PDB file of all heavy atoms in Angstrom:
ATOM      1  N   SER A  46     -32.796 -77.162  43.378  1.00 93.00           N
ATOM      2  CA  SER A  46     -33.526 -78.393  43.119  1.00 93.00           C
ATOM      3  C   SER A  46     -32.749 -79.302  42.160  1.00 93.00           C
ATOM      4  O   SER A  46     -31.821 -78.869  41.479  1.00 93.00           O
ATOM      5  CB  SER A  46     -34.907 -78.097  42.550  1.00 93.00           C
ATOM      6  OG  SER A  46     -34.784 -77.412  41.331  1.00 93.00           O
ATOM      7  N   LYS A  47     -33.174 -80.535  42.104  1.00 90.00           N
ATOM      8  CA  LYS A  47     -32.544 -81.527  41.239  1.00 90.00           C
ATOM      9  C   LYS A  47     -33.632 -82.123  40.346  1.00 90.00           C
ATOM     10  O   LYS A  47     -34.670 -82.554  40.832  1.00 90.00           O
ATOM     11  CB  LYS A  47     -31.905 -82.626  42.091  1.00 90.00           C
ATOM     12  CG  LYS A  47     -31.255 -83.726  41.308  1.00 90.00           C
ATOM     13  CD  LYS A  47     -30.658 -84.724  42.273  1.00 90.00           C
ATOM     14  CE  LYS A  47     -30.058 -85.892  41.508  1.00 90.00           C
ATOM     15  NZ  LYS A  47     -29.502 -86.904  42.426  1.00 90.00           N
ATOM     16  N   ASN A  48     -33.360 -82.125  39.042  1.00 86.00           N
ATOM     17  CA  ASN A  48     -34.287 -82.751  38.106  1.00 86.00           C
ATOM     18  C   ASN A  48     -34.052 -84.251  38.149  1.00 86.00           C
ATOM     19  O   ASN A  48     -32.952 -84.729  37.862  1.00 86.00           O
ATOM     20  CB  ASN A  48     -34.038 -82.181  36.707  1.00 86.00           C
ATOM     21  CG  ASN A  48     -35.112 -82.617  35.731  1.00 86.00           C
ATOM     22  OD1 ASN A  48     -35.889 -83.507  35.995  1.00 86.00           O
ATOM     23  ND2 ASN A  48     -35.114 -81.948  34.575  1.00 86.00           N
ATOM     24  N   GLN A  49     -35.069 -84.990  38.508  1.00 84.00           N
ATOM     25  CA  GLN A  49     -34.924 -86.424  38.702  1.00 84.00           C
ATOM     26  C   GLN A  49     -34.636 -87.170  37.392  1.00 84.00           C
ATOM     27  O   GLN A  49     -33.891 -88.130  37.367  1.00 84.00           O
ATOM     28  CB  GLN A  49     -36.197 -86.987  39.340  1.00 84.00           C
ATOM     29  CG  GLN A  49     -36.486 -86.451  40.706  1.00 84.00           C
ATOM     30  CD  GLN A  49     -35.464 -86.870  41.739  1.00 84.00           C
ATOM     31  OE1 GLN A  49     -34.788 -87.888  41.599  1.00 84.00           O
ATOM     32  NE2 GLN A  49     -35.333 -86.102  42.796  1.00 84.00           N
ATOM     33  N   ARG A  50     -35.198 -86.689  36.301  1.00 86.00           N
ATOM     34  CA  ARG A  50     -35.070 -87.393  35.034  1.00 86.00           C
ATOM     35  C   ARG A  50     -33.687 -87.193  34.409  1.00 86.00           C
ATOM     36  O   ARG A  50     -33.066 -88.131  33.917  1.00 86.00           O
ATOM     37  CB  ARG A  50     -36.165 -86.930  34.069  1.00 86.00           C
ATOM     38  CG  ARG A  50     -36.281 -87.726  32.813  1.00 86.00           C
ATOM     39  CD  ARG A  50     -37.553 -87.398  32.046  1.00 86.00           C
ATOM     40  NE  ARG A  50     -37.850 -85.992  32.027  1.00 86.00           N
ATOM     41  CZ  ARG A  50     -37.570 -85.165  31.031  1.00 86.00           C
ATOM     42  NH1 ARG A  50     -36.958 -85.624  29.966  1.00 86.00           N
ATOM     43  NH2 ARG A  50     -37.912 -83.895  31.100  1.00 86.00           N
ATOM     44  N   THR A  51     -33.187 -85.946  34.416  1.00 86.00           N
ATOM     45  CA  THR A  51     -31.925 -85.654  33.728  1.00 86.00           C
ATOM     46  C   THR A  51     -30.750 -85.542  34.686  1.00 86.00           C
ATOM     47  O   THR A  51     -29.619 -85.323  34.239  1.00 86.00           O
ATOM     48  CB  THR A  51     -32.041 -84.336  32.953  1.00 86.00           C
ATOM     49  OG1 THR A  51     -32.315 -83.268  33.873  1.00 86.00           O
ATOM     50  CG2 THR A  51     -33.099 -84.418  31.888  1.00 86.00           C
ATOM     51  N   GLU A  52     -30.972 -85.643  35.983  1.00 84.00           N
ATOM     52  CA  GLU A  52     -29.934 -85.534  36.999  1.00 84.00           C
ATOM     53  C   GLU A  52     -29.204 -84.180  36.951  1.00 84.00           C
ATOM     54  O   GLU A  52     -28.053 -84.061  37.311  1.00 84.00           O
ATOM     55  CB  GLU A  52     -28.897 -86.672  36.876  1.00 84.00           C
ATOM     56  CG  GLU A  52     -29.476 -88.039  37.074  1.00 84.00           C
ATOM     57  CD  GLU A  52     -29.992 -88.285  38.500  1.00 84.00           C
ATOM     58  OE1 GLU A  52     -29.392 -87.769  39.434  1.00 84.00           O
ATOM     59  OE2 GLU A  52     -31.019 -88.966  38.608  1.00 84.00           O
ATOM     60  N   GLU A  53     -29.890 -83.157  36.480  1.00 90.00           N
ATOM     61  CA  GLU A  53     -29.312 -81.821  36.395  1.00 90.00           C
ATOM     62  C   GLU A  53     -29.743 -81.003  37.603  1.00 90.00           C
ATOM     63  O   GLU A  53     -30.880 -81.081  38.053  1.00 90.00           O
ATOM     64  CB  GLU A  53     -29.784 -81.139  35.106  1.00 90.00           C
ATOM     65  CG  GLU A  53     -29.056 -79.866  34.799  1.00 90.00           C
ATOM     66  CD  GLU A  53     -29.435 -79.313  33.433  1.00 90.00           C
ATOM     67  OE1 GLU A  53     -30.626 -78.983  33.258  1.00 90.00           O
ATOM     68  OE2 GLU A  53     -28.553 -79.212  32.584  1.00 90.00           O
ATOM     69  N   GLN A  54     -28.822 -80.222  38.135  1.00 92.00           N
ATOM     70  CA  GLN A  54     -29.075 -79.388  39.296  1.00 92.00           C
ATOM     71  C   GLN A  54     -29.463 -77.989  38.829  1.00 92.00           C
ATOM     72  O   GLN A  54     -28.888 -77.496  37.854  1.00 92.00           O
ATOM     73  CB  GLN A  54     -27.834 -79.297  40.179  1.00 92.00           C
ATOM     74  CG  GLN A  54     -27.230 -80.617  40.548  1.00 92.00           C
ATOM     75  CD  GLN A  54     -27.983 -81.315  41.657  1.00 92.00           C
ATOM     76  OE1 GLN A  54     -28.697 -80.676  42.407  1.00 92.00           O
ATOM     77  NE2 GLN A  54     -27.831 -82.612  41.771  1.00 92.00           N
ATOM     78  N   SER A  55     -30.388 -77.346  39.505  1.00 93.00           N
ATOM     79  CA  SER A  55     -30.790 -76.012  39.107  1.00 93.00           C
ATOM     80  C   SER A  55     -30.974 -75.119  40.330  1.00 93.00           C
ATOM     81  O   SER A  55     -31.193 -75.600  41.436  1.00 93.00           O
ATOM     82  CB  SER A  55     -32.094 -76.041  38.290  1.00 93.00           C
ATOM     83  OG  SER A  55     -33.166 -76.436  39.122  1.00 93.00           O
ATOM     84  N   CYS A  56     -30.824 -73.827  40.065  1.00 94.00           N
ATOM     85  CA  CYS A  56     -30.996 -72.826  41.110  1.00 94.00           C
ATOM     86  C   CYS A  56     -31.887 -71.730  40.550  1.00 94.00           C
ATOM     87  O   CYS A  56     -31.613 -71.195  39.463  1.00 94.00           O
ATOM     88  CB  CYS A  56     -29.631 -72.261  41.522  1.00 94.00           C
ATOM     89  SG  CYS A  56     -29.749 -70.877  42.637  1.00 94.00           S
ATOM     90  N   ALA A  57     -32.929 -71.373  41.259  1.00 96.00           N
ATOM     91  CA  ALA A  57     -33.832 -70.306  40.848  1.00 96.00           C
ATOM     92  C   ALA A  57     -33.805 -69.226  41.938  1.00 96.00           C
ATOM     93  O   ALA A  57     -34.022 -69.518  43.117  1.00 96.00           O
ATOM     94  CB  ALA A  57     -35.239 -70.831  40.663  1.00 96.00           C
ATOM     95  N   LEU A  58     -33.536 -67.986  41.524  1.00 97.00           N
ATOM     96  CA  LEU A  58     -33.454 -66.870  42.452  1.00 97.00           C
ATOM     97  C   LEU A  58     -34.486 -65.819  42.095  1.00 97.00           C
ATOM     98  O   LEU A  58     -34.692 -65.524  40.916  1.00 97.00           O
ATOM     99  CB  LEU A  58     -32.070 -66.224  42.403  1.00 97.00           C
ATOM    100  CG  LEU A  58     -30.886 -67.075  42.798  1.00 97.00           C
ATOM    101  CD1 LEU A  58     -29.613 -66.309  42.543  1.00 97.00           C
ATOM    102  CD2 LEU A  58     -30.972 -67.464  44.250  1.00 97.00           C
ATOM    103  N   THR A  59     -35.116 -65.257  43.112  1.00 97.00           N
ATOM    104  CA  THR A  59     -36.046 -64.154  42.944  1.00 97.00           C
ATOM    105  C   THR A  59     -35.639 -63.059  43.907  1.00 97.00           C
ATOM    106  O   THR A  59     -35.621 -63.253  45.119  1.00 97.00           O
ATOM    107  CB  THR A  59     -37.495 -64.602  43.223  1.00 97.00           C
ATOM    108  OG1 THR A  59     -37.815 -65.694  42.377  1.00 97.00           O
ATOM    109  CG2 THR A  59     -38.457 -63.460  42.968  1.00 97.00           C
ATOM    110  N   LEU A  60     -35.296 -61.895  43.353  1.00 97.00           N
ATOM    111  CA  LEU A  60     -34.860 -60.755  44.138  1.00 97.00           C
ATOM    112  C   LEU A  60     -35.952 -59.688  44.070  1.00 97.00           C
ATOM    113  O   LEU A  60     -36.274 -59.181  42.993  1.00 97.00           O
ATOM    114  CB  LEU A  60     -33.541 -60.201  43.598  1.00 97.00           C
ATOM    115  CG  LEU A  60     -32.955 -59.012  44.329  1.00 97.00           C
ATOM    116  CD1 LEU A  60     -32.490 -59.422  45.719  1.00 97.00           C
ATOM    117  CD2 LEU A  60     -31.781 -58.424  43.565  1.00 97.00           C
ATOM    118  N   SER A  61     -36.535 -59.378  45.240  1.00 96.00           N
ATOM    119  CA  SER A  61     -37.587 -58.375  45.308  1.00 96.00           C
ATOM    120  C   SER A  61     -37.006 -57.088  45.848  1.00 96.00           C
ATOM    121  O   SER A  61     -36.524 -57.036  46.974  1.00 96.00           O
ATOM    122  CB  SER A  61     -38.724 -58.854  46.212  1.00 96.00           C
ATOM    123  OG  SER A  61     -39.300 -60.028  45.700  1.00 96.00           O
ATOM    124  N   LEU A  62     -37.071 -56.047  45.036  1.00 94.00           N
ATOM    125  CA  LEU A  62     -36.611 -54.724  45.397  1.00 94.00           C
ATOM    126  C   LEU A  62     -37.816 -53.818  45.577  1.00 94.00           C
ATOM    127  O   LEU A  62     -38.920 -54.165  45.133  1.00 94.00           O
ATOM    128  CB  LEU A  62     -35.672 -54.172  44.305  1.00 94.00           C
ATOM    129  CG  LEU A  62     -34.426 -54.976  44.009  1.00 94.00           C
ATOM    130  CD1 LEU A  62     -33.710 -54.412  42.794  1.00 94.00           C
ATOM    131  CD2 LEU A  62     -33.517 -54.978  45.197  1.00 94.00           C
ATOM    132  N   PRO A  63     -37.668 -52.646  46.188  1.00 93.00           N
ATOM    133  CA  PRO A  63     -38.810 -51.754  46.355  1.00 93.00           C
ATOM    134  C   PRO A  63     -39.426 -51.296  45.033  1.00 93.00           C
ATOM    135  O   PRO A  63     -40.596 -50.978  44.970  1.00 93.00           O
ATOM    136  CB  PRO A  63     -38.232 -50.553  47.122  1.00 93.00           C
ATOM    137  CG  PRO A  63     -37.014 -51.065  47.765  1.00 93.00           C
ATOM    138  CD  PRO A  63     -36.499 -52.163  46.904  1.00 93.00           C
ATOM    139  N   ASN A  64     -38.636 -51.288  43.953  1.00 92.00           N
ATOM    140  CA  ASN A  64     -39.163 -50.785  42.690  1.00 92.00           C
ATOM    141  C   ASN A  64     -39.112 -51.824  41.564  1.00 92.00           C
ATOM    142  O   ASN A  64     -39.074 -51.483  40.399  1.00 92.00           O
ATOM    143  CB  ASN A  64     -38.390 -49.546  42.258  1.00 92.00           C
ATOM    144  CG  ASN A  64     -36.904 -49.728  42.345  1.00 92.00           C
ATOM    145  OD1 ASN A  64     -36.429 -50.840  42.514  1.00 92.00           O
ATOM    146  ND2 ASN A  64     -36.161 -48.657  42.241  1.00 92.00           N
ATOM    147  N   GLY A  65     -39.099 -53.105  41.916  1.00 92.00           N
ATOM    148  CA  GLY A  65     -39.121 -54.135  40.894  1.00 92.00           C
ATOM    149  C   GLY A  65     -38.741 -55.488  41.441  1.00 92.00           C
ATOM    150  O   GLY A  65     -38.246 -55.626  42.555  1.00 92.00           O
ATOM    151  N   THR A  66     -38.981 -56.498  40.622  1.00 96.00           N
ATOM    152  CA  THR A  66     -38.642 -57.876  40.998  1.00 96.00           C
ATOM    153  C   THR A  66     -37.817 -58.471  39.867  1.00 96.00           C
ATOM    154  O   THR A  66     -38.151 -58.345  38.688  1.00 96.00           O
ATOM    155  CB  THR A  66     -39.935 -58.697  41.176  1.00 96.00           C
ATOM    156  OG1 THR A  66     -40.725 -58.073  42.184  1.00 96.00           O
ATOM    157  CG2 THR A  66     -39.592 -60.115  41.605  1.00 96.00           C
ATOM    158  N   LEU A  67     -36.713 -59.113  40.229  1.00 97.00           N
ATOM    159  CA  LEU A  67     -35.825 -59.729  39.271  1.00 97.00           C
ATOM    160  C   LEU A  67     -35.802 -61.247  39.504  1.00 97.00           C
ATOM    161  O   LEU A  67     -35.860 -61.703  40.644  1.00 97.00           O
ATOM    162  CB  LEU A  67     -34.412 -59.170  39.412  1.00 97.00           C
ATOM    163  CG  LEU A  67     -34.288 -57.650  39.333  1.00 97.00           C
ATOM    164  CD1 LEU A  67     -32.860 -57.225  39.632  1.00 97.00           C
ATOM    165  CD2 LEU A  67     -34.722 -57.150  37.984  1.00 97.00           C
ATOM    166  N   HIS A  68     -35.716 -61.998  38.411  1.00 97.00           N
ATOM    167  CA  HIS A  68     -35.739 -63.451  38.510  1.00 97.00           C
ATOM    168  C   HIS A  68     -34.623 -64.029  37.644  1.00 97.00           C
ATOM    169  O   HIS A  68     -34.432 -63.572  36.514  1.00 97.00           O
ATOM    170  CB  HIS A  68     -37.081 -64.004  38.062  1.00 97.00           C
ATOM    171  CG  HIS A  68     -37.208 -65.483  38.194  1.00 97.00           C
ATOM    172  ND1 HIS A  68     -37.337 -66.096  39.415  1.00 97.00           N
ATOM    173  CD2 HIS A  68     -37.200 -66.456  37.275  1.00 97.00           C
ATOM    174  CE1 HIS A  68     -37.425 -67.407  39.223  1.00 97.00           C
ATOM    175  NE2 HIS A  68     -37.331 -67.654  37.908  1.00 97.00           N
ATOM    176  N   ALA A  69     -33.909 -65.020  38.160  1.00 97.00           N
ATOM    177  CA  ALA A  69     -32.829 -65.659  37.409  1.00 97.00           C
ATOM    178  C   ALA A  69     -32.778 -67.136  37.741  1.00 97.00           C
ATOM    179  O   ALA A  69     -33.079 -67.540  38.866  1.00 97.00           O
ATOM    180  CB  ALA A  69     -31.491 -65.001  37.736  1.00 97.00           C
ATOM    181  N   THR A  70     -32.397 -67.928  36.746  1.00 96.00           N
ATOM    182  CA  THR A  70     -32.222 -69.369  36.946  1.00 96.00           C
ATOM    183  C   THR A  70     -30.871 -69.782  36.409  1.00 96.00           C
ATOM    184  O   THR A  70     -30.345 -69.167  35.482  1.00 96.00           O
ATOM    185  CB  THR A  70     -33.321 -70.176  36.234  1.00 96.00           C
ATOM    186  OG1 THR A  70     -33.278 -69.869  34.854  1.00 96.00           O
ATOM    187  CG2 THR A  70     -34.695 -69.896  36.812  1.00 96.00           C
ATOM    188  N   GLY A  71     -30.340 -70.837  36.974  1.00 95.00           N
ATOM    189  CA  GLY A  71     -29.077 -71.389  36.510  1.00 95.00           C
ATOM    190  C   GLY A  71     -29.103 -72.894  36.615  1.00 95.00           C
ATOM    191  O   GLY A  71     -29.517 -73.444  37.635  1.00 95.00           O
ATOM    192  N   ASN A  72     -28.662 -73.559  35.564  1.00 94.00           N
ATOM    193  CA  ASN A  72     -28.618 -75.027  35.519  1.00 94.00           C
ATOM    194  C   ASN A  72     -27.189 -75.475  35.342  1.00 94.00           C
ATOM    195  O   ASN A  72     -26.388 -74.793  34.694  1.00 94.00           O
ATOM    196  CB  ASN A  72     -29.444 -75.564  34.356  1.00 94.00           C
ATOM    197  CG  ASN A  72     -30.920 -75.244  34.505  1.00 94.00           C
ATOM    198  OD1 ASN A  72     -31.423 -75.179  35.614  1.00 94.00           O
ATOM    199  ND2 ASN A  72     -31.587 -75.015  33.400  1.00 94.00           N
ATOM    200  N   GLY A  73     -26.862 -76.623  35.915  1.00 92.00           N
ATOM    201  CA  GLY A  73     -25.509 -77.134  35.778  1.00 92.00           C
ATOM    202  C   GLY A  73     -25.448 -78.597  36.177  1.00 92.00           C
ATOM    203  O   GLY A  73     -26.420 -79.179  36.649  1.00 92.00           O
TER     204      GLY A  73
END
Side-chain angles (χ1 to χ4, degrees):
S46 61
K47 179 180 177 182
N48 190 346
Q49 297 293 335
R50 189 168 42 98
T51 61
E52 298 295 324
E53 191 173 62
Q54 308 282 338
S55 67
C56 172
L58 297 174
T59 304
L60 181 67
S61 298
L62 300 173
N64 48 13
T66 303
L67 306 174
H68 183 72
T70 58
N72 296 327

